[in-house]
């Protein structure tokens, strides 16, 4: 069976990773969460007090960062490792979310991540989600999906996710963070978040996860 590259880009918390995981499972493809790479780099910078406004410090730090994705033995879902440590869960904290979009504006950081992302797609059979996957990382991908959902729905979803881990979190904090990241991500100079011309828009505000998978699988069928 022919293998393709599927890209899923879109706003924060609109269900990109849920759809990407569903598709990867259904098609037996590899799933790569490109946002996890930017989050893991941010974690490294914060832990090592790297001043990311200083070009030299960023270059030195990137030399010491090794990222890889490995499947969880139980769930078989891919998880990200930073220099051999599983950081899949710590990178989801709001502390990281508050800084990641700043770090993701840095050209050297993006080049570092994009080189690795392209390598992962060499054999195709991959679903990658992020902000610039259909526009910059894989501009020739066979299927590009641009996801969106109502703001209130997105805030509610992310709040529920974060609240289960940290009951001190407030809905305002989550809302502010999503708005801030969407603004920075879509206004930055390098690889801003935007719909690729040939991407299909999928608004999942009012559909179930099963329905969204069905829509995406129909799109895949048309490409195969
Ligand atoms: O899960 P959520 O959609 O909220 O975010 P994420 O995919 O984990 O990405 C975290 C942040 O990384 C984004 O807000 C962007 O600033 C950055 N990012 C990026 O610049 N390019 C990508 N391909 C993926 C993420």
């Amino acid at each position: 069976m022919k293998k393709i590259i599927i890209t899923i880009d879109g706003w924060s918390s609109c269900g990109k990773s849920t759809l990407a995981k569903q598709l990867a499972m259904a098609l037996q493809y590899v799933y790569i969460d490109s946002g996890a790479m930017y989050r893991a780099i941010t974690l490294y910078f914060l832990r090592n007090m790297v001043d990311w406004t200083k070009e030299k410090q960023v270059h030195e730090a990137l030399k010491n960062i090794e990222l890889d994705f490995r499947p969880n033995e139980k769930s078989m879902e891919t998880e990200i490792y930073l220099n051999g440590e599983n950081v899949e869960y710590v990178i989801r904290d709001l502390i990281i979310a508050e800084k990641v979009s700043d770090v993701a504006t840095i050209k050297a950081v993006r080049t570092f991540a994009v080189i690795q992302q392209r390598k992962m797609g060499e054999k195709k059979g991959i679903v990658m989600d992020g902000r610039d996957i259909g526009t910059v990382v894989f501009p020739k991908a066979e299927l590009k999906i641009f996801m969106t959902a109502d703001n209130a729905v997105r805030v509610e979803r992310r709040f529920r996710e974060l609240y289960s881990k940290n009951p001190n979190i407030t809905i305002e904090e989550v809302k502010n963070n999503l708005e801030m990241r969407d603004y920075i991500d879509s206004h930055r100079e390098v690889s801003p978040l935007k719909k690729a011309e040939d991407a299909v828009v999928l608004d999942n505000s009012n559909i179930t996860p099963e329905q969204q998978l069905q829509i995406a699988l129909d799109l895949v069928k048309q490409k195969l």
Side-chain angles (χ1 to χ4, degrees), residues 121-209:
E122 273 169 2
K123 290 191 198 137
K124 301 215 175 188
I126 190 169
V127 189
M128 193 177 288
D129 75 338
R131 303 291 186 286
D132 61 338
I133 312 304
T135 50
V136 173
V137 182
F138 299 122
K140 291 191 182 145
E142 288 83 355
L143 175 60
K144 300 179 185 176
I145 297 176
F146 188 86
M147 282 187 83
T148 178
D150 290 346
N151 282 11
V153 172
R154 299 195 285 126
V155 172
E156 178 68 30
R157 281 181 190 155
R158 185 50 54 96
F159 175 69
R160 263 191 263 139
E161 233 174 77
L162 291 171
Y163 183 81
S164 63
K165 285 186 251 159
N166 171 15
N168 292 322
I169 211 154
T170 67
I171 200 140
E172 280 70 36
E173 277 176 308
V174 175
K175 183 169 179 286
N176 291 340
N177 179 255
L178 292 197
E179 283 171 0
M180 177 194 74
R181 283 200 287 134
D182 284 347
Y183 184 86
I184 301 174
D185 293 347
S186 53
H187 287 81
R188 67 181 175 223
E189 211 173 296
V190 197
S191 314
L193 164 66
K194 62 171 186 229
K195 184 183 112 37
E197 270 177 27
D198 50 348
V200 181
V201 177
L202 202 164
D203 182 332
N204 74 353
S205 312
N206 299 305
I207 56 173
T208 64

Side-chain angles (χ1 to χ4, degrees), residues 1-201:
M1 176 94 99
K2 178 185 159 192
K3 291 202 165 183
I4 62 170
I5 293 181
I6 304 172
T7 66
I8 305 180
D9 289 302
W11 308 99
S12 306
S13 310
C14 60
K16 299 180 299 291
S17 66
T18 305
L19 178 63
K21 282 180 198 166
Q22 287 174 312
L23 275 175
M25 177 89 86
L27 300 166
Q28 295 290 300
Y29 277 21
V30 173
Y31 162 54
I32 297 295
D33 172 0
S34 70
M37 299 175 74
Y38 295 98
R39 286 174 180 265
I41 294 167
T42 305
L43 175 68
Y44 182 92
F45 283 4
L46 288 173
R47 278 182 177 171
N48 294 280
M49 286 180 285
V50 175
D51 177 353
W52 58 79
T53 62
K54 306 253 176 355
E55 212 173 307
K56 206 167 161 224
Q57 285 197 34
V58 169
H59 278 276
E60 283 308 309
L62 289 174
K63 281 189 209 154
N64 296 318
I65 297 180
E66 211 178 87
L67 301 176
D68 63 298
F69 288 91
R70 303 180 200 165
N72 176 301
E73 279 177 14
K74 278 194 199 136
S75 66
M76 288 315 284
E77 281 182 7
T78 39
E79 296 183 334
I80 190 159
Y81 284 70
L82 166 63
N83 295 335
E85 174 194 350
N86 183 330
V87 294
E88 178 65 32
Y89 302 96
V90 288
I91 57 166
R92 307 292 159 193
D93 280 357
L94 199 56
I95 300 163
I96 303 295
E98 272 163 1
K99 303 288 177 213
V100 63
S101 287
D102 279 341
V103 170
T105 60
I106 304 167
K107 196 159 185 262
V109 167
R110 302 208 69 84
T111 306
F112 175 84
V114 171
I115 288 172
Q116 298 178 43
Q117 289 157 5
R118 289 198 177 133
K119 255 196 208 131
M120 293 177 211
E122 273 169 2
K123 290 191 198 137
K124 301 215 175 188
I126 190 169
V127 189
M128 193 177 288
D129 75 338
R131 303 291 186 286
D132 61 338
I133 312 304
T135 50
V136 173
V137 182
F138 299 122
K140 291 191 182 145
E142 288 83 355
L143 175 60
K144 300 179 185 176
I145 297 176
F146 188 86
M147 282 187 83
T148 178
D150 290 346
N151 282 11
V153 172
R154 299 195 285 126
V155 172
E156 178 68 30
R157 281 181 190 155
R158 185 50 54 96
F159 175 69
R160 263 191 263 139
E161 233 174 77
L162 291 171
Y163 183 81
S164 63
K165 285 186 251 159
N166 171 15
N168 292 322
I169 211 154
T170 67
I171 200 140
E172 280 70 36
E173 277 176 308
V174 175
K175 183 169 179 286
N176 291 340
N177 179 255
L178 292 197
E179 283 171 0
M180 177 194 74
R181 283 200 287 134
D182 284 347
Y183 184 86
I184 301 174
D185 293 347
S186 53
H187 287 81
R188 67 181 175 223
E189 211 173 296
V190 197
S191 314
L193 164 66
K194 62 171 186 229
K195 184 183 112 37
E197 270 177 27
D198 50 348
V200 181
V201 177

